[in-house]
Amino acid sequence: MAELDKIRDSNEEYSHNFKYGTLPITPARKLAVLACMDARLNVNEALGLETGDAHIIRNAGGIATDDAIRSLIISHELLGTQEFVVINHTDCGMLTFADKDLQKDLRQKYKSDASEIKFYSFPNLEENVKNQVNKIKSTPFLPPDIPVHGFIYDVKTGKIERIAGDQKTINEILIPSSSP
Ligand SMILES: [Zn+2]
């Protein structure tokens, strides 16, 4: 069966039992997740999130591009999220090439200059997560104290390991301290 038919059939079934029609626009868990697009990483399942719980922003590498930051600003400012999570994963395709090589291959294949396309390939997973967390933290249009956590997801075990970010949790942000 062609993929188009498969997704139509699946959606027919999905809409038949649909139970999310009354969810509010604001994410219930006040979370926004920036993750790599890797097909093996199911963000909702891995983090125990349900439909309506969180914004999930995905791109190749889980990179805090201008566009990802645009989404985070909208997520926080207009839709009330209070905590951000960045997730990269082991065996990421972004570790396997260099921007300049892909740019060169594209130019040869399509006879068009690809040197302006930034692919954000990276050689070190942990460093990449830290860089994205720092980039989000340094954005002037997000509160400096918003918690941003960096994780690596292991595609072999399904486990996440926290490797960057603030110790502060959402509870410390939302529940005022007992001092008068
Ligand atoms: Zn990846």
Side-chain angles (χ1 to χ4, degrees):
M1 199 193 290
E3 287 306 318
L4 181 60
D5 293 330
K6 281 193 206 168
I7 62 175
R8 279 178 169 154
D9 284 357
S10 296
N11 181 257
E12 184 66 38
E13 203 177 322
Y14 179 73
S15 63
H16 192 71
N17 303 308
F18 195 65
K19 55 182 192 282
Y20 303 117
T22 58
L23 288 178
I25 186 171
T26 50
R29 301 267 298 267
K30 299 187 192 304
L31 277 173
V33 181
L34 171 60
C36 183
M37 67 182 186
D38 193 280
R40 297 163 293 182
L41 168 56
N42 183 320
V43 174
N44 275 16
E45 276 185 17
L47 304 188
L49 300 171
E50 303 289 339
T51 301
D53 277 352
H55 286 140
I56 315 285
I57 302 149
R58 303 192 70 163
N59 61 31
I63 306 293
T65 58
D66 288 351
D67 191 66
I69 286 174
R70 173 187 73 88
S71 296
L72 289 174
I73 292 171
I74 290 169
S75 176
H76 171 74
E77 201 63 36
L78 303 180
L79 297 166
T81 57
Q82 301 292 338
E83 190 155 5
F84 298 154
V85 175
V86 175
I87 307 183
N88 279 193
H89 63 94
T90 57
D91 197 35
C92 185
M94 300 293 281
L95 295 159
T96 65
F97 70 98
D99 277 29
K100 61 173 169 36
D101 296 329
L102 182 54
Q103 287 160 351
K104 190 174 144 225
D105 292 348
L106 288 169
R107 189 181 65 230
Q108 283 170 357
K109 186 173 178 184
Y110 296 101
K111 316 291 178 223
S112 192
D113 182 15
S115 62
E116 295 294 303
I117 305 176
K118 202 160 165 35
F119 290 102
Y120 299 96
S121 61
F122 51 82
N124 183 298
L125 201 53
E126 287 200 15
E127 205 172 281
N128 185 64
V129 173
K130 287 174 185 164
N131 288 343
Q132 308 322 309
V133 168
N134 290 337
K135 194 162 175 204
I136 294 167
K137 296 293 288 179
S138 63
T139 305
F141 302 109
L142 288 165
D145 58 349
I146 195 162
V148 185
H149 313 288
F151 287 94
I152 290 175
Y153 172 84
D154 188 327
V155 297
K156 292 269 185 266
T157 65
K159 281 192 174 151
I160 54 169
E161 185 189 358
R162 190 163 175 277
I163 59 141
D166 314 277
Q167 291 307 318
K168 234 174 182 177
T169 68
I170 194 163
N171 293 321
E172 293 171 68
I173 300 291
L174 297 181
I175 302 167
S177 68
S178 55
S179 58

